[in-house]
Amino acid sequence: LVMGSLALYRISEPVRLRLQPFLAGEYESSRPVIWKVGLKIWRDHPWLGSGAGSYNVVFDQHRPAKFLAEPHWTHNDYLNTLSDYGVIGFGLWAGAGGALMWLGWLAVRRTRSAVPSNKGGLLGWRWPLGLFLGLTSFGLHLLVDFHTKIPALAYAAAIALALLLRAEQESAPARPSAGRWLGFIGAVAVLAVAVGIASPLYRAEALRYEARRAINNQATTGQGRLREILPPAVTNLERATKIDPDNGQVWADYAYALMLTWHTTGGDLVALGLVAEGAADRAIAICPVQAEFWIRKGAAQDMQGRRLEGEKSFRRALALAPRSPENWYYYAYHLSELPGREKPALQAVEACLELDPSISLAVTLHQQLMAIVNGIQSRNL
């Protein structure tokens, strides 16, 4: 293990970049921040939590100034479960895990007392003890990560636990018991849920993810041409809305892609904005506390010339994510298009740059607004 770690450190730049701060005595600074936010969310929703997988959405309501990372999870599975499911959900989750680990320890003790210690391999007591210690380390590592939220890791832990708790094989084949029949029925039910429910949801999310990734890559790196990227992206997002109409992010990304098509194909701006607003409304109906969904709605309303309604949507986004530089930029751009609103637009873009001075579009907008405001002041003088 030590030799492998040293080899990775020498040959892998990502590993060096990851470990160098720790070797220099600079410890992880972001996790205490996101842990504090997780505690705040749990205190706001102590019993039932804020909802499954909601941490990254609710995080924006408590985001510290100039903290630009997207944590997605709390990076502490115990705290993540508390914030998502509250005390009741945590009790069910941790209670089941604790009971299974206790049964595992009993299996270790039973094997150690039943099998002579001079036997090795799969017959020795060290094998179940190794499984138990591996599961214990897995549980300890949940303090700094979110392994049970990653299906592959949760399945691996479940298999290790199943091996630890498995019954000893009998010499003669046993008749199928009621428990085995129940296990078989349960396995069939899980397979049916996986194929009939989970698989379509994953397929819809995969369509959404790839479409949004292509759009984002074009915007940030210039990879590809928007005219070529948007048609398949819109098609895939539309398919995703039909496969999983309860996925709010799918509807929001569909609205976003639709609005972008006007830059490549033109057409009726008002009609396109109306369709995009309908998609944004579907997203908001599913998750009204996601600030991004309100940004999409505001932009769609602006396309239709409904500026006052659009301003309400942008303000709602800022209320939900007051320290998001992107939201301040969208609001500043909205205000800059309104006659006589140059000064509040300038204040909004300055708030954006205070949070993140690296947004080039905001820098450009700030320069334009400064020129307009200075020109107005010169004329007044």
Side-chain angles (χ1 to χ4, degrees):
L1 184 61
V2 171
M3 291 176 65
S5 300
L6 290 173
L8 280 173
Y9 181 78
R10 293 182 66 86
I11 66 177
S12 172
E13 185 176 359
V15 171
R16 280 198 302 276
L17 292 174
R18 182 71 172 172
L19 294 179
Q20 195 60 46
F22 294 95
L23 297 177
E26 301 171 6
Y27 299 106
E28 177 69 53
S29 59
S30 62
R31 295 200 181 189
V33 173
I34 58 181
W35 290 340
K36 288 178 182 177
V37 173
L39 280 173
K40 288 181 181 177
I41 295 173
W42 171 53
R43 287 168 182 163
D44 290 342
H45 312 274
W47 294 107
L48 294 175
S50 57
S54 63
Y55 174 79
N56 201 52
V57 175
V58 185
F59 178 83
D60 267 329
Q61 298 177 21
H62 306 278
R63 179 185 293 275
K66 300 183 180 181
F67 185 86
L68 303 178
E70 288 295 331
H72 298 292
W73 305 96
T74 319
H75 291 264
N76 178 319
D77 228 333
Y78 302 103
L79 184 55
N80 213 140
T81 304
L82 269 176
S83 68
D84 276 5
Y85 304 104
V87 171
I88 294 175
F90 180 87
L92 294 171
W93 174 79
L100 289 169
M101 288 297 289
W102 175 246
L103 291 174
W105 176 242
L106 293 180
V108 171
R109 293 179 61 185
R110 185 169 57 252
T111 306
R112 188 171 186 177
S113 61
V115 179
S117 58
N118 59 349
K119 290 187 178 181
L122 301 183
L123 298 177
W125 59 268
R126 294 176 181 84
W127 169 254
L129 179 61
L131 287 171
F132 180 80
L133 292 176
L135 290 167
T136 301
S137 66
F138 181 85
L140 287 173
H141 203 258
L142 297 184
L143 289 167
V144 292
D145 241 316
F146 45 93
H147 293 328
T148 64
K149 308 297 188 290
I150 302 175
L153 294 177
Y155 295 159
I159 290 171
L161 189 59
L163 289 170
L164 178 59
L165 298 179
R166 75 194 189 284
E168 295 296 329
Q169 295 293 325
E170 299 178 8
S171 56
R175 295 180 179 179
S177 63
R180 291 183 180 181
W181 278 114
L182 287 175
F184 176 75
I185 294 170
V188 171
V190 168
L191 183 63
V193 170
V195 174
I197 298 176
S199 179
L201 300 185
Y202 274 100
R203 187 165 70 252
E205 178 61 17
L207 289 169
R208 181 206 71 80
Y209 179 83
E210 287 301 319
R212 182 63 186 268
R213 185 174 66 89
I215 294 171
N216 288 351
N217 283 345
Q218 200 284 327
T220 55
T221 65
Q223 182 179 344
R225 298 175 59 190
L226 200 59
R227 188 181 297 275
E228 298 170 354
I229 289 170
L230 281 177
V234 171
T235 300
N236 287 336
L237 286 167
E238 187 175 8
R239 285 177 58 201
T241 62
K242 294 175 181 177
I243 296 172
D244 185 10
D246 293 327
N247 187 330
Q249 192 66 55
V250 166
W251 287 104
D253 289 349
Y254 181 48
Y256 179 43
L258 283 174
M259 289 185 281
L260 289 176
T261 60
W262 187 82
H263 296 285
T264 60
T265 61
D268 189 335
L269 185 64
V270 175
L272 187 60
L274 189 62
V275 176
E277 184 186 6
D281 281 334
R282 291 289 298 270
I284 291 169
I286 294 167
C287 183
V289 297
Q290 173 63 286
E292 180 191 346
F293 299 174
W294 289 95
I295 291 290
R296 305 299 172 218
K297 181 179 175 70
Q301 289 168 327
D302 277 359
M303 290 175 69
Q304 302 169 64
R306 294 156 52 198
R307 304 284 184 177
L308 292 178
E309 295 173 72
E311 185 160 346
K312 292 179 181 177
S313 296
F314 288 119
R315 285 183 173 274
R316 179 58 182 156
L318 283 172
L320 291 169
R323 295 184 181 89
S324 166
E326 291 84 3
N327 290 352
W328 279 106
Y329 169 76
Y330 277 110
Y331 183 50
Y333 184 84
H334 162 82
L335 292 174
S336 70
E337 295 291 298
L338 301 177
R341 304 292 297 279
E342 291 84 3
K343 285 187 177 180
L346 182 60
Q347 293 172 349
V349 78
E350 285 175 347
C352 166
L353 292 172
E354 174 67 21
L355 293 168
D356 184 3
S358 67
I359 300 179
S360 58
L361 290 173
V363 172
T364 302
L365 181 60
H366 182 263
Q367 293 171 348
Q368 295 170 348
L369 289 169
M370 282 292 292
I372 294 172
V373 171
N374 289 336
I376 293 172
Q377 291 175 346
S378 299
R379 287 196 299 271
N380 290 339
L381 290 174

